[in-house]
Amino acid sequence: MAQVKLVNYQEASPEVRAVFDDIMATRKTDYVNNIWRALAVHPPLLKRFWRQMKEVMVKPSRLDPLTKELLYLAVSVTNNCEYCINSHSFAARKHGMDDAMLAEFNEIVALANAGNRLTMGLQVEIDERFKLDQPAEPWSLPRTSNKKPAKGRHKKR
């Protein structure tokens, strides 16, 4: 059971209705998922999260829609978010995921989580060949005058 009252379209403020309308238009549906209805109790949060979701998950990019859904699903499985697992499994199926792919996907997620835990627990050093070839340049601000940099407040030891 949700910890907040889910907002229905009829009772939504004009600000929330505008986001709900955009969700339905973007997704070509007349349905607004429960997560959006829950976030609608705080309209600024609803607007920010929907804007970010559209920018990352909906806008065409170098990652195809199924890959995006599988990435979101992997994080959802790892975080044990039942709602997100169901929502993003549903979306992934719309983009072509079948039962065999879901099973293989979960095997990879389980293996990756196990490998991460083993590596973290053993504190394994990163292989030199996996590190970037060029070290990052140290941060520095360009000098705009001949003034000496301000001294810090730390006492010398």
Side-chain angles (χ1 to χ4, degrees):
M1 180 175 201
Q3 298 295 309
V4 296
K5 183 180 183 299
L6 301 182
V7 176
N8 287 312
Y9 191 86
Q10 300 84 347
E11 63 197 30
S13 69
E15 182 180 26
V16 168
R17 280 187 182 193
V19 177
F20 284 177
D21 288 340
D22 190 35
I23 290 169
M24 291 185 289
T26 300
R27 293 184 166 175
K28 297 176 180 68
T29 183
D30 62 354
Y31 183 74
V32 175
N33 300 22
N34 286 344
I35 183 60
W36 304 112
R37 295 174 59 210
L39 296 177
V41 300
H42 186 56
L45 173 60
L46 171 67
K47 287 169 64 174
R48 278 190 302 271
F49 196 69
W50 173 242
R51 186 172 50 246
Q52 186 176 13
M53 184 67 74
K54 274 183 27 175
E55 183 67 26
V56 175
M57 296 298 288
V58 177
K59 184 178 175 181
S61 71
R62 294 180 70 179
L63 297 177
D64 65 89
L66 178 57
T67 300
K68 289 179 181 185
E69 290 300 338
L70 291 175
L71 288 166
Y72 207 113
L73 184 56
V75 173
S76 301
V77 168
T78 299
N79 289 332
N80 198 28
C81 178
E82 183 179 2
Y83 183 91
C84 299
I85 291 168
N86 283 276
S87 174
H88 291 279
S89 291
F90 180 85
R93 285 182 186 283
K94 286 175 55 175
H95 293 295
M97 182 183 76
D98 59 18
D99 287 350
M101 187 184 287
L102 179 61
E104 182 180 359
F105 162 84
N106 275 288
E107 183 178 25
I108 294 167
V109 171
L111 178 65
N113 277 301
N116 284 191
R117 295 287 187 254
L118 288 168
T119 304
M120 290 181 335
L122 297 171
Q123 294 291 291
V124 179
E125 294 289 326
I126 300 170
D127 299 73
E128 286 300 318
R129 67 177 7 177
F130 297 153
K131 295 180 182 178
L132 295 176
D133 289 342
Q134 299 179 0
E137 292 292 321
W139 172 259
S140 65
L141 292 174
R143 292 219 165 184
T144 57
S145 68
N146 292 333
K147 291 182 181 179
K148 292 182 180 179
K151 293 184 178 181
R153 296 184 179 191
H154 300 287
K155 294 182 180 179
K156 291 184 180 178
R157 291 183 186 192

